[in-house]
């Protein structure tokens, strides 16, 4: 099975690189591809930086590993190929009354990518991350194929969640789904004029909601710094739809309404347009509204309404800076927003969430506390220095950056933020003794040669 050489980039389009791209359709073809390296798997390329790239090596596209079993109604589980996207699962499962227990801000990620990053959603404080709902997975490694459960090999199970592809190629996984009575979410919305207000409300009230997320405006300063719209909710029971006959109780997620057809040469997003967008978003939210019904798409994946929206950032691309700090260091959230606004770094609405405890995996990202994710266009000359300073502040607070979003972390900073990285490599070497699995990310942060 030979592939073509292609230029690949992450969602932020910051560091494209050339690799031979192979598209295995069978497990035998995956095994063949793993007989030499360097090689790394790739899903739908929704990671922002370079974890699904392998300059000069091979990138194995997982989309050919596509099969969907019927939902096992007795156990509420589904077995799918690693190339199936969460969108494709939801198209089948919602009609049957099941939701994917952890979904990120986009449905356009594959099960392989979701496991490799151990993705989190708006319910981490209650339900943990993706691996907490994985019953088992089959993994192709350079030493052969293995079925992994928490019981059969806890080291390999938990390390694979967060390993960003370095323990092998996930072929298939069995996932525990979440039963739902309707495809609607009952949502309470509240607008806050500043950051203290929203953080206080989240710290004291999030435990009462399954889902919680705050959209924070990072371009305001002074008393309105960090003004935010907080939305919290849970799957609506069937009874909440009574009298609203137009609403189908179990509607699949909506397809994108628009698409950005090409990358505009200078990008459409700058300080002015981002500021205007943030203002409009804040104004359109109700000051306070309780129990409104939102569709799954509008509550969980609003950005999926516009296909390839990342192109709006232009050819220079953009990065996402997502960090986590524990509850004792919540002030780092304020410092980060202050640094960006005082240094005139434009940032789209930032996403603030609460996390519960992380998983045992050596590269597990979550920590019980706060996570803030900021979308920032590449370009402002002051940006690299501002982010380097933020790295120092986050790491001094015992926090870390999310590798699925990262595109710029140094090896030294990675080692400080992830002190158990050597444990990951011990597990990886057990299944990949020659070190064939490697990516642009793993080389950049010093995990592999
Ligand atoms: C708009 C947007 C919102 C997002 N919101 C969130 C969020 O709320 N929470 C969150 O956690 N993440 C979020 N993400 C990040 C995204 O969930 C992760 O980056 C996810 O890993 C992407 O999956 P993918 O299929 O696109 O994988 P890719 O980006 O292609 O690859 C990601 C990693 O998975 C590995 N991989 C892929 N397939 C396999 C396989 N079969 N076996 C082993 N390794 C594999 C790759 O090697 C790579 O290291 C968001 C991304 C976008 C673009």
């Amino acid at each position: 099975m030979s592939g073509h050489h292609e230029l690949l980039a992450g969602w932020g389009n910051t560091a494209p690189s050339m690799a031979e791209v192979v598209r295995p359709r069978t497990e035998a073809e995956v095994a063949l591809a793993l007989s030499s390296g360097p090689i790394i798997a790739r899903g739908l390329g929704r990671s922002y930086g370079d974890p699904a790239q392998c300059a000069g090596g091979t990138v194995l596209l997982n989309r050919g590993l596509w099969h969907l079993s019927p939902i096992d109604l007795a156990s509420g589980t589904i077995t799918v190929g690693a190339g199936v996207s969460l969108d494709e699962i939801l198209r089948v499962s919602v009609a049957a009354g099941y939701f994917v227990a952890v979904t990120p801000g986009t449905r356009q990620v594959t099960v392989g990518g979701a496991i490799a990053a151990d993705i989190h959603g708006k319910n981490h404080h209650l339900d943990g991350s993706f691996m907490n709902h994985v019953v088992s997975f089959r993994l192709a490694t350079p030493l052969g194929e293995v079925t992994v459960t928490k019981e059969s090999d806890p080291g390999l199970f938990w390390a694979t969640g967060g390993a960003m592809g370095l323990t092998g190629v996930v072929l298939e996984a069995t996932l525990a789904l979440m039963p739902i009575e309707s495809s609607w979410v009952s949502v309470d919305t509240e607008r806050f004029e500043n950051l203290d207000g929203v953080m206080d409300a989240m710290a004291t009230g999030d435990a009462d909601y399954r889902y919680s997320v705050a959209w924070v405006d990072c371009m305001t300063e002074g008393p309105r710094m960090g003004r935010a719209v907080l939305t919290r909710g849970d799957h609506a029971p069937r009874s909440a739809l009574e009298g609203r006959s137009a609403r189908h109780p179990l509607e699949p997620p909506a397809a994108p309404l628009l698409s950005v057809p090409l990358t505009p040469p200078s990008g459409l997003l700058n300080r002015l347009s981002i500021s205007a967008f943030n203002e409009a978003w804040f104004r359109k939210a109700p000051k306070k509204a309780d129990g409104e019904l939102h569709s799954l798409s509008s509550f969980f994946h609003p950005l999926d309404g516009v296909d390839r929206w990342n192109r709006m950032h232009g050819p220079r691309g953009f990065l996402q800076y997502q960090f986590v700090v524990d509850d004792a260091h919540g002030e780092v959230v304020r410092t980060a927003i202050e640094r960006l606004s005082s240094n005139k770094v434009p940032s789209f609405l930032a996403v603030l969430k609460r996390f519960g405890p992380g998983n045992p995996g050596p590269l597990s990202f979550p920590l019980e506390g706060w996570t803030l994710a900021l979308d920032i266009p590449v370009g402002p000359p002051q940006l690299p220095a501002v982010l380097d300073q933020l790295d120092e502040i986050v790491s001094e607070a015992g926090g870390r950056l999310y590798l699925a979003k990262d595109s710029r972390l140094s090896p030294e900073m990675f080692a400080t933020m992830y002190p158990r990285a050597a444990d990951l490599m011990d597990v990886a070497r057990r299944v990949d003794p020659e070190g064939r699995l490697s990516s642009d990310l793993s080389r950049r942060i010093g995990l592999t040669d």
Side-chain angles (χ1 to χ4, degrees):
M1 183 197 31
S2 66
H4 296 286
H5 281 83
E6 287 179 32
L7 192 64
L8 296 172
W11 190 243
N13 196 29
T14 42
S17 67
M18 244 358 206
E20 183 183 8
V21 176
V22 295
R23 296 174 162 78
R25 306 234 147 240
T26 63
E27 296 180 7
E29 287 178 349
V30 174
L32 187 65
L34 285 172
S35 61
S36 63
I39 182 167
I40 200 74
R42 181 179 177 95
L44 281 164
R46 261 33 179 210
S47 293
Y48 278 66
D50 50 1
Q53 295 168 220
C54 188
T58 304
V59 170
L60 183 155
L61 291 194
N62 73 16
R63 288 288 277 163
L65 303 170
W66 203 102
H67 60 90
L68 254 167
S69 74
I71 296 172
D72 178 339
L73 295 174
S75 60
T77 59
I78 191 167
T79 299
V80 296
V84 174
S85 69
L86 300 193
D87 181 66
E88 289 157 344
I89 297 177
L90 288 166
R91 285 183 187 287
V92 178
S93 72
V94 170
Y98 286 98
F99 195 60
V100 175
V102 171
T103 80
T106 171
R107 300 185 295 277
Q108 304 301 340
V109 303
T110 64
V111 168
I115 288 179
D118 191 12
I119 57 169
H120 54 268
K122 300 173 180 39
N123 53 341
H124 190 275
H125 60 292
L126 277 197
D127 297 317
S129 47
F130 201 79
M131 291 305 283
N132 296 92
H133 308 273
V134 173
V135 178
S136 65
F137 58 88
R138 287 197 300 115
L139 187 70
T141 77
L143 291 188
E145 189 218 301
V146 54
T147 298
V148 191
T149 65
K150 293 180 193 93
E151 294 74 30
S152 70
D153 190 340
L156 186 54
F157 183 93
W158 291 113
T160 298
M164 304 307 286
L166 294 181
T167 59
V169 177
V170 178
L171 299 168
E172 174 187 271
T174 298
L175 312 175
L177 298 171
M178 179 191 287
I180 50 173
E181 285 187 26
S182 83
S183 58
W184 297 88
V185 186
S186 171
V187 180
D188 294 352
T189 305
E190 198 170 353
R191 243 162 58 177
F192 292 86
E193 290 301 325
N194 58 46
L195 189 67
D196 287 344
V198 72
M199 287 182 74
D200 193 42
M202 292 172 83
T204 53
D206 270 12
D208 298 337
Y209 294 88
R210 166 153 265 141
Y211 300 106
S212 168
V213 61
W215 302 84
V216 182
D217 184 353
C218 296
M219 302 213 23
T220 44
E221 290 179 84
R224 293 192 316 155
M225 196 216 71
R227 64 181 176 171
V229 178
L230 175 62
T231 53
R232 299 189 284 195
D234 202 345
H235 298 281
R238 194 64 80 103
S239 58
L241 307 184
E242 276 163 21
R244 307 188 200 216
S245 52
R247 307 215 150 144
H248 189 285
L250 290 168
E251 245 170 46
L257 292 172
L258 298 167
S259 176
V260 180
L262 43 84
T263 305
S266 54
L268 300 175
L269 302 172
N270 51 38
R271 219 182 132 65
L272 214 66
S273 59
I274 292 179
S275 222
F277 175 87
N278 287 5
E279 177 72 28
W281 182 280
F282 189 73
R283 293 285 149 224
K284 117 175 174 346
K287 231 179 167 130
K288 187 154 176 20
D290 285 342
E292 287 184 326
L293 291 184
H294 291 210
S295 67
L296 292 178
S297 306
S298 72
F299 182 72
F300 288 102
H301 315 114
L303 295 169
D304 284 353
V306 181
D307 197 24
R308 297 310 307 248
W309 58 263
N310 57 338
R311 289 179 170 158
M312 289 195 294
H313 281 279
R316 280 199 293 204
F318 69 115
L319 53 86
Q320 186 165 104
Y321 191 86
Q322 181 172 1
F323 67 84
V324 61
V325 284
D326 66 16
D327 274 320
H329 295 90
E331 81 285 350
V332 174
V333 172
R334 161 175 292 281
T335 311
I337 297 173
E338 267 168 5
R339 289 288 165 107
L340 291 174
S341 60
S342 64
N343 282 286
K344 309 285 178 228
V345 171
S347 162
F348 244 124
L349 289 165
V351 173
L352 179 66
K353 291 188 272 213
R354 302 271 307 146
F355 272 165
N359 277 334
L363 297 195
S364 171
F365 169 62
L367 280 176
E368 192 158 5
W370 299 96
T371 183
L372 183 73
L374 304 139
D375 271 4
I376 306 171
V378 170
Q382 70 279 30
L383 181 61
V386 172
L387 295 183
D388 286 351
Q389 286 165 15
L390 284 186
D391 289 351
E392 296 285 347
I393 293 167
V394 169
S395 81
E396 270 165 30
R400 49 198 178 225
L401 299 199
Y402 187 23
L403 295 183
K405 307 287 181 70
D406 175 60
S407 53
R408 43 164 293 286
L409 206 54
S410 68
E412 297 72 30
M413 197 45 88
F414 167 71
T416 315
M417 290 180 172
Y418 286 91
R420 293 193 300 130
D423 297 350
L424 170 76
M425 294 321 288
D426 287 348
V427 177
R429 286 298 156 265
R430 181 149 69 77
V431 290
D432 176 25
E434 291 173 14
R436 290 180 196 158
L437 292 154
S438 160
S439 65
D440 288 1
L441 166 80
S442 69
R443 289 190 287 267
R444 173 167 58 79
I445 59 178
L447 262 178
T448 62
D449 300 330

